[in-house]
Amino acid sequence: MKIDTTDARDFIDESAIWSTIERTENPDPSLVRETLAKARERKGLTQFDTAVLLQNKDLELDEEIFSTAREVKKGIYGNRLVLFAPLYVTNECMNRCAYCGFKADNSDLDRRTLTDEELSSEVRVLEDLGQKRLLLVYGEHPTLDAKWIAHTMQVVYDTVSEKSGEIRRVNVNCAPLDVDGYRALKDTGIGTYQCFQETYHRKTYEKVHLSGRKTNYLWRLNSLHRAQKAGIDDVAMGALFGLYDYRFDMLGLLQHAEELEKMFGVGPHTISFPRLEPALGSEMSYNPPYPISLHDFKKVVAILRLAVPYTGLILTTRENAEFRSELIKVGVSQISAGSRTYPGAYTDPEYDRPDVQQFCVGDSRSLDEVIRDVVQQGYLPSWCTACYRLGRTGEHFMELAKKGFIQTYCHPNALMTFNEYLNDYASPETREAGRILLENEVAGMADEKRRDLVSERIKRIDSGERDLYF
Ligand code: SAM
Ligand code: SF4
């Protein structure tokens, strides 16, 4: 693959970011309240508005930020929570990212690329646990190219557990590819393509990426443009919090989202906000250059929900169970659960070996335990993949999402996939708690016709039918 940045756009305006940060220093409480009133309209926030909320220092007003985020999230998503699991396919990597355990010069790491058979075995374990949506994760290596990545995606789609069925949506987090490479992923049925910029601050980016292709800031900054050009219209961005000033990276994320909207008519499908976690062989990961407090991190999540209300916000198991519950309340719409972060981990009887992991996991509970916990907190787990399979993606998805479609389609689809989970995978305790939630959810549906339709389909699932959706 030839790295060519002649057409690349440098759309991050660093001086505009700093000037916004300076202009919103210590904002007046009345301005914060005005901004929150605007956020309640669910039309999103400007960079200026976002910076006002980020820089509020009044703790009582911070609580208002959290409650507004809860309100907006509830209004758009209801109590649904989408579930997925990451699957690491290779930890071979040519890059030296100072913060990552997979970096090329980490000689203590046990390197491994899964064979097709090994990959299938991992997929079967995940299918038998009840996962339907996977995120495939890859290090970057010259021989493990786009064609090979597309091949591994196909292996995942082709692996159908006799007991449990199939994976219905494969998302990918891999290093930037060229347009042809992304086309190969599109042709193999990619769901969402994820690529995190890590930090939008160019000097810091150059400082933490020591060698390899990833040193090229512009190549990465335009990765989602190339994916869009190849026809992948669900693209996902993220920043790695802890590398640089979180206010800067938050505004960088918004500039990136605005750029995609301007160029392709649709912003990111999801945003991720990993926080630097300790990783074997990475000094920096133990001492983040810009550590972010739990309070500020919670603000980042809540304000993202207000700034881009219709964008999915993804929370991984990097954070611990208790903190995850708080973040879910203020805006998260998708979570991973039961995650293991190295190739072969799901079939490894000696799981939890530090010499193979990318970073340490903060929430190591099983999928079933997480489901029981979120159900007890009143959330409705969903494994829905209907939009992607019916072509409701990209701009089309966003348009529909804005018209309250989530309540009409996503809620019923969540109920049906949740009922599959309860029938096929849940432990007796989880099933008991889940059944009560399911009954209450159906009973609470305002549209009588829809309610009857859903009840009928739920019964069909109870008698053995699978994969029903609207
Ligand atoms: N190699 C590809 C790349 O760099 O884009 C994709 C896989 S990489 C394993 C996925 C993400 O993990 C990175 O984009 C980075 O944000 C995150 N990551 C790396 N090191 C981390 C650490 N120590 N703690 C938390 N997240 C980390
Ligand atoms: Fe490799 Fe990605 Fe880790 Fe960097 S973040 S060392 S590119 S796996």
Side-chain angles (χ1 to χ4, degrees):
M1 177 179 67
K2 193 167 163 277
I3 293 187
D4 180 0
T5 52
T6 33
D7 293 335
R9 289 167 55 83
D10 189 2
F11 52 86
I12 295 297
D13 186 342
E14 294 202 356
S15 57
I17 293 181
W18 283 126
S19 134
T20 307
I21 290 175
E22 270 159 34
R23 281 185 295 134
T24 52
E25 206 86 56
N26 282 321
D28 196 79
S30 62
L31 180 61
V32 177
R33 289 213 167 87
E34 255 170 57
T35 312
L36 286 176
K38 188 176 167 189
R40 277 188 204 101
E41 291 171 24
R42 302 186 206 162
K43 292 189 182 132
L45 297 177
T46 62
Q47 292 176 49
F48 181 87
D49 301 332
T50 302
V52 165
L53 297 185
L54 273 178
Q55 303 213 85
N56 168 61
K57 302 253 165 16
D58 179 329
L59 287 181
E60 268 178 39
L61 277 176
D62 274 353
E63 288 306 317
E64 279 186 44
I65 295 177
F66 298 144
S67 60
T68 311
R70 269 199 291 273
E71 205 183 294
V72 167
K73 187 202 161 189
K74 197 148 188 274
I76 297 175
Y77 294 89
N79 58 348
R80 278 180 327 118
L81 201 54
V82 171
L83 271 295
F84 74 97
L87 199 177
Y88 284 67
V89 188
T90 179
N91 61 8
E92 286 288 351
C93 197
M94 67 190 286
N95 294 307
R96 279 166 60 222
C97 307
Y99 46 82
C100 180
F102 291 175
K103 62 190 171 131
D105 57 348
N106 184 2
S107 52
D108 294 330
L109 188 82
D110 192 2
R111 303 275 169 188
R112 182 165 176 199
T113 298
L114 298 181
T115 62
D116 291 358
E117 291 69 32
E118 288 167 341
L119 179 54
S120 286
S121 304
E122 292 272 292
V123 173
R124 258 184 227 108
V125 170
L126 288 162
E127 286 170 341
D128 289 347
L129 289 169
Q131 301 283 6
K132 300 285 178 214
R133 306 165 62 108
L134 295 187
L135 170 70
L136 303 188
V137 185
Y138 306 79
E140 181 169 23
H141 197 269
T143 56
L144 306 174
D145 58 7
K147 218 170 128 196
W148 173 78
I149 292 175
H151 167 77
T152 58
M153 287 171 61
Q154 194 59 55
V155 170
V156 174
Y157 276 129
D158 290 345
T159 302
V160 181
S161 149
E162 263 173 46
K163 191 169 129 204
S164 306
E166 68 292 324
I167 294 299
R168 299 176 184 159
R169 177 171 175 133
V170 173
N171 299 332
V172 168
N173 183 324
C174 71
L177 303 172
D178 56 17
V179 177
D180 286 343
Y182 286 125
R183 228 170 256 135
L185 270 46
K186 167 78 185 167
D187 292 346
T188 319
I190 188 172
T192 307
Y193 171 65
Q194 280 193 347
C195 184
F196 306 155
Q197 188 61 24
E198 321 298 10
T199 175
Y200 289 90
H201 188 251
R202 198 163 178 155
K203 269 214 181 99
T204 304
Y205 184 94
E206 281 158 8
K207 207 157 71 194
V208 298
H209 296 112
L210 302 166
S211 68
R213 284 183 194 150
K214 196 162 168 179
T215 53
N216 194 323
Y217 174 89
L218 271 187
W219 178 247
R220 194 166 183 93
L221 192 64
N222 282 253
S223 58
L224 303 184
H225 292 58
R226 294 192 300 279
Q228 282 276 6
K229 280 180 194 154
I232 302 178
D233 45 17
D234 282 352
V235 295
M237 57 179 62
L240 181 54
F241 285 88
L243 290 182
Y244 191 57
D245 186 326
Y246 69 92
R247 298 168 307 170
F248 185 98
D249 276 326
M250 179 83 165
L251 296 187
L253 280 169
L254 292 191
Q255 286 194 349
H256 196 173
E258 285 167 18
E259 158 79 6
L260 291 179
E261 186 119 26
K262 185 171 100 193
M263 298 294 290
F264 305 101
V266 57
H269 188 66
T270 56
I271 296 183
S272 298
F273 27 84
R275 206 158 60 108
L276 208 48
E277 291 294 329
L280 175 80
S282 158
E283 174 72 31
M284 177 179 283
S285 68
Y286 287 88
N287 298 296
Y290 285 82
I292 175 168
S293 70
L294 294 185
H295 182 80
D296 288 340
F297 192 62
K298 186 171 161 185
K299 267 177 86 174
V300 162
V301 176
I303 297 167
L304 272 174
R305 174 49 62 229
L306 301 177
V308 283
Y310 293 93
T311 301
L313 295 185
I314 299 188
L315 178 65
T316 68
T317 54
R318 288 173 178 90
E319 304 299 337
N320 67 38
E322 201 186 327
F323 191 42
R324 279 187 6 130
S325 291
E326 284 200 39
L327 297 176
I328 291 169
K329 279 189 206 132
V330 297
V332 166
S333 54
Q334 288 193 26
I335 60 167
S336 52
S339 307
R340 299 185 173 186
T341 61
Y342 58 88
Y346 295 107
T347 45
D348 185 351
E350 288 168 55
Y351 162 65
D352 219 7
R353 292 183 292 133
D355 59 334
V356 275
Q357 304 206 32
Q358 190 205 2
F359 52 80
C360 301
V361 165
D363 179 356
S364 53
R365 293 172 302 167
S366 68
L367 175 64
D368 187 73
E369 286 171 302
V370 173
I371 297 301
R372 188 158 62 242
D373 183 28
V374 296
V375 163
Q376 280 161 350
Q377 291 180 52
Y379 293 103
L380 170 63
S382 174
W383 287 265
C384 179
T385 51
C387 280
Y388 151 73
R389 290 156 83 201
L390 294 171
R392 296 190 298 239
T393 56
E395 194 178 1
H396 194 48
F397 171 80
M398 284 295 168
E399 253 172 47
L400 292 168
K402 286 177 189 170
K403 287 183 187 142
F405 150 102
I406 292 186
Q407 300 302 346
T408 326
Y409 290 91
C410 306
H411 183 251
N413 286 339
L415 291 171
M416 289 187 287
T417 55
F418 183 47
N419 194 33
E420 281 191 3
Y421 181 82
L422 295 180
N423 270 290
D424 296 345
Y425 315 103
S427 63
E429 303 95 288
T430 304
R431 190 169 299 135
E432 201 184 318
R435 290 254 184 256
I436 298 170
L437 177 80
L438 195 69
E439 277 166 27
N440 290 341
E441 288 291 318
V442 177
M445 285 176 77
D447 181 336
E448 220 175 293
K449 263 197 191 148
R450 203 77 176 154
R451 189 172 62 217
D452 291 346
L453 261 181
V454 170
S455 300
E456 186 254 330
R457 290 196 182 195
I458 283 182
K459 280 196 200 113
R460 279 164 59 194
I461 291 168
D462 286 339
S463 17
E465 271 191 73
R466 292 290 172 268
D467 205 13
L468 304 175
Y469 51 88
F470 292 106

